[in-house]
């Protein structure tokens, strides 16, 4: 009889069940997702939808320079306060549906 990996939906999921993260050390689903992309990131990262800065913190821990952006100001202000003394983090309000909003961050874009 073949063993099948048990799956269960992530608590915030509305879609089909997903496999649980394989490593026991993964404490949160967000951290699991971050670890899936971390090795593909460059030194400078434009974080879209920075929220309260959770991933921003992980990016800084790994030595990356971060442009933390969000279309909404509330959580972005909180992130800006959290990283106010960190020169490696720039916080900016960016609306991805507004070309001028994106162009204003051009200095952070890839070479």
């Amino acid at each position: 009889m073949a063993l099948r990996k048990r799956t269960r939906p992530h608590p915030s999921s509305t879609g089909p069940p997903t496999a649980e993260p394989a490593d026991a050390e993964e404490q949160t689903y967000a951290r699991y997702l971050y670890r899936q992309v971390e090795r593909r990131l460059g030194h400078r990262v434009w974080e879209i939808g920075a929220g309260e800065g959770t991933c921003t913190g992980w990016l800084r821990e790994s030595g990356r320079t971060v442009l933390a952006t969000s279309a909404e100001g509330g959580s972005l202000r909180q992130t800006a306060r959290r990283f106010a003394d960190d020169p490696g983090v720039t916080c900016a309000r960016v609306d991805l549906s507004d070309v001028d909003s994106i162009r204003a961050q051009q200095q952070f874009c890839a070479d």
Side-chain angles (χ1 to χ4, degrees):
M1 177 160 107
L3 295 176
R4 294 185 341 177
K5 183 173 180 134
R6 292 184 65 182
T7 61
R8 65 182 175 136
H10 184 270
S12 65
S13 173
T14 57
T18 58
E20 290 183 286
D23 293 324
E25 70 185 41
E26 299 302 335
Q27 296 176 0
T28 66
Y29 190 65
R31 182 71 162 185
Y32 168 76
L33 292 175
Y34 171 76
R35 291 217 171 142
Q36 299 305 302
V37 300
E38 179 181 24
R39 66 183 171 269
R40 294 176 178 91
L41 299 174
H43 178 70
R44 295 184 307 168
V45 176
W46 184 333
E47 182 183 9
I48 298 170
E52 297 175 358
T54 301
C55 289
T56 309
W58 297 333
L59 291 162
R60 288 301 294 142
E61 287 172 7
S62 67
R64 291 179 170 88
T65 302
V66 183
L67 172 61
T69 64
S70 180
E72 299 182 16
S75 59
L76 188 62
R77 281 189 294 278
Q78 182 177 353
T79 301
R81 282 191 300 272
R82 179 177 170 190
F83 295 98
D85 296 329
D86 187 340
V89 176
T90 301
C91 293
R93 190 168 180 182
V94 176
D95 180 350
L96 294 178
S97 65
D98 177 9
V99 174
D100 292 331
S101 177
I102 296 167
R103 285 186 182 140
Q105 303 308 319
Q106 194 168 22
Q107 77 279 1
F108 203 85
C109 293
D111 301 328

